[in-house]
Amino acid sequence: MIKGAIFDVDGTLLNSMYIWENIGEEYLRSLGIEPEKNLRAKIKALSLYQSACYFQNEYGVQLSTDEIMNGINKMIEDFYLNKAELKDGVADFLHELKNNGVKMCIATATDRYLVESALKRCKVLNYFSEIFTCTSVGHGKDEPIIYREATNHLNIDKKDVIIFEDALYAVKTAKADGFTVASIYDSSETNQDEIKSLSDFHFSDFSDTSSFWKFAL
């Protein structure tokens, strides 16, 4: 029986992967520069600093790297503080979990203050007892540390905890460490067949949760 739930945020609770996929293009357009069609692929593996250098060298942006990075960070901050919205059915599902006595917390790669701001604005922050970030635990989701720390916080046996994720690499990490995993469809994840095959349960969205409860109870 599921007694605890650990939620990812971007692409799982929030429709927010767009900002990470398109921030380079949006930033250049804010400067009046039309980006190349394959910009996203070119900067995907770059750090924020490397991306700033790329914008200077390839687009002639006449700003310092610090100014570019600050500009990008302000756009991301504005998105979480004012624009990011819950995915369909999330609020009702969280309410169902709470009513069934499921304890919940967050495990995310995004900065805590951004997550807190978005979830508070969307009126669901109160469902979660803690927010664990990759920065706070010192490990990314290519390692299971963040899930282990969240489980310790919930004080629930691992076998009774379920992890909600939308990204294949995170699902792989959690499954390899012995967790039960529910995956959630998000258009940013292209490996849907593999993610479904690895997951214990898969949501197309949260609008119909009846089959989940048959699985979880």
Side-chain angles (χ1 to χ4, degrees):
M1 179 177 177
I2 299 302
K3 298 179 181 178
I6 300 169
F7 280 89
D8 170 57
V9 174
D10 296 298
T12 299
L13 294 175
L14 294 178
N15 264 321
S16 51
M17 291 305 296
Y18 166 84
I19 192 66
W20 299 106
E21 292 183 338
N22 298 279
I23 189 61
E25 296 170 359
E26 295 297 318
Y27 176 71
L28 288 175
R29 289 193 179 106
S30 75
L31 300 178
I33 301 171
E34 185 59 29
E36 58 200 302
K37 290 184 178 180
N38 62 342
L39 175 65
R40 190 184 311 174
K42 287 191 174 182
I43 67 172
K44 185 175 182 178
L46 300 182
S47 67
L48 183 56
Y49 173 76
Q50 289 171 324
S51 296
C53 292
Y54 184 83
F55 293 159
Q56 289 174 325
N57 297 330
E58 298 298 323
Y59 288 92
V61 175
Q62 298 297 306
L63 295 170
S64 69
T65 53
D66 283 345
E67 288 173 325
I68 294 172
M69 290 189 292
N70 287 338
I72 292 172
N73 282 328
K74 285 180 180 178
M75 292 181 71
I76 292 172
E77 182 178 66
D78 176 67
F79 176 80
Y80 280 90
L81 269 59
N82 302 302
K83 301 172 184 176
E85 297 294 340
L86 296 174
K87 299 185 84 168
D88 290 343
V90 164
D92 288 340
F93 182 53
L94 295 177
H95 187 67
E96 290 176 19
L97 288 169
K98 181 180 180 181
N99 283 349
N100 279 276
V102 178
K103 296 163 68 176
M104 292 172 272
C105 65
I106 295 289
T108 179
T110 302
D111 288 345
R112 182 188 180 105
Y113 85 101
L114 297 176
V115 169
E116 281 187 338
S117 297
L119 296 182
K120 183 177 181 180
R121 180 173 48 79
C122 293
K123 297 180 172 59
V124 296
L125 181 62
N126 61 303
Y127 288 109
F128 305 103
S129 58
E130 186 56 275
I131 296 172
F132 292 88
T133 71
C134 292
T135 299
S136 68
V137 302
H139 297 269
K141 287 187 177 180
D142 55 339
E143 300 176 82
I145 307 302
I146 192 169
Y147 303 125
R148 293 176 185 176
E149 291 203 13
T151 299
N152 289 338
H153 163 77
L154 292 175
N155 195 27
I156 294 172
D157 287 343
K158 188 177 185 176
K159 64 181 177 60
D160 297 323
V161 172
I162 188 167
I163 293 173
F164 292 83
E165 284 281 0
D166 68 294
L168 178 59
Y169 82 100
V171 170
K172 284 183 174 180
T173 298
K175 284 297 297 178
D177 204 50
F179 282 98
T180 300
V181 178
S183 58
I184 298 89
Y185 172 79
D186 191 82
S187 60
S188 64
E189 177 54 71
T190 58
N191 299 298
Q192 288 299 315
D193 289 341
E194 187 173 3
I195 204 171
K196 287 179 184 178
S197 68
L198 285 174
S199 304
D200 297 285
F201 189 86
H202 182 76
F203 286 94
S204 296
D205 59 48
F206 292 110
S207 60
D208 182 3
T209 60
S210 57
S211 57
F212 172 77
W213 288 113
K214 292 177 183 177
F215 163 80
L217 296 178

